[in-house]
Amino acid sequence: MQRYLIALGSNRWHHRHGGPRGTLAAAVEALRGAGLTILAEAPVVSSAPVGPSLRTYANGALVVETGLAPPDLLAVLQRIETTFGRSRRARRWSARVLDLDIVLWSGGCWADPGLIIPHLHFRDRDFVLGPARHIGPEWRDPLTGLTLRQLHARLTAPRPIPKPRPR
């Protein structure tokens, strides 16, 4: 069995599940229905959109266990996104009813034309690391060796204000 860290996001109303938080709750049930075992579920947070979307996102994270290989799990996630009304033809980073991303995998790294694990941008996204550190604080990034707790602390640490240069 493999363990995966899955990031969830939504910022559009769904005709059946309601607002983004309701959509994420329904997505968790859809993942269970697809045969994934949910080991941990992070609290849902609100976050500002990245890119052209203007709507606030609801974001969460799960640790799931399954016998599926990474590409097979990706296919399951994309089928669920499609059943929720996600279109892959939309502009990148536009508003979407559901986004499910594989962030980390207990097998370490994976790379093929359709999937890269760890997720390329997760280290720079508080809306991923914030929820993820609650459910997998000691899970290590296979590329940096840092834990999710350490990555989140680095991302959110206050930065000193640069001193003005003399003229």
Side-chain angles (χ1 to χ4, degrees):
M1 296 297 273
Q2 304 290 327
R3 289 185 180 195
Y4 295 87
L5 176 67
I6 307 294
L8 300 89
S10 175
N11 74 337
R12 288 190 51 208
W13 183 266
H14 187 273
H15 67 280
R16 187 167 157 210
H17 307 299
R21 288 176 181 264
T23 299
L24 293 189
V28 170
E29 292 310 310
L31 290 164
R32 278 192 182 99
L36 303 179
T37 301
I38 310 289
L39 299 177
E41 185 175 351
V44 174
V45 299
S46 295
S47 65
V50 172
S53 180
L54 300 176
R55 296 180 170 132
T56 299
Y57 270 87
N59 293 101
L62 301 171
V63 174
V64 302
E65 188 173 63
T66 179
L68 297 173
D72 299 323
L73 176 59
L74 179 63
V76 168
L77 299 181
Q78 289 178 341
R79 274 196 305 274
I80 291 171
E81 289 174 338
T82 300
T83 63
F84 275 71
R86 167 111 185 240
S87 169
R88 298 228 168 264
R89 293 181 301 217
R91 190 167 70 178
R92 188 172 186 176
W93 294 322
S94 62
R96 58 189 58 150
V97 83
L98 182 61
D99 188 26
L100 301 171
D101 289 324
I102 300 172
V103 177
L104 294 169
W105 168 49
S106 60
C109 297
W110 181 275
D112 68 25
L115 177 63
I116 297 174
I117 305 172
H119 189 283
L120 292 175
H121 304 291
F122 89 99
R123 293 171 204 87
D124 303 321
R125 294 181 172 169
D126 188 33
F127 61 86
V128 173
L129 288 173
R133 75 182 163 101
H134 287 290
I135 57 174
E138 301 305 318
W139 197 329
R140 290 192 182 275
D141 173 1
L143 297 181
T144 66
L146 298 173
T147 66
L148 292 176
R149 180 184 290 129
Q150 291 168 326
L151 288 167
H152 186 260
R154 283 184 173 201
L155 182 65
T156 59
R159 311 273 191 263
I161 298 173
K163 293 181 181 177
R165 295 181 185 172
R167 293 183 187 208

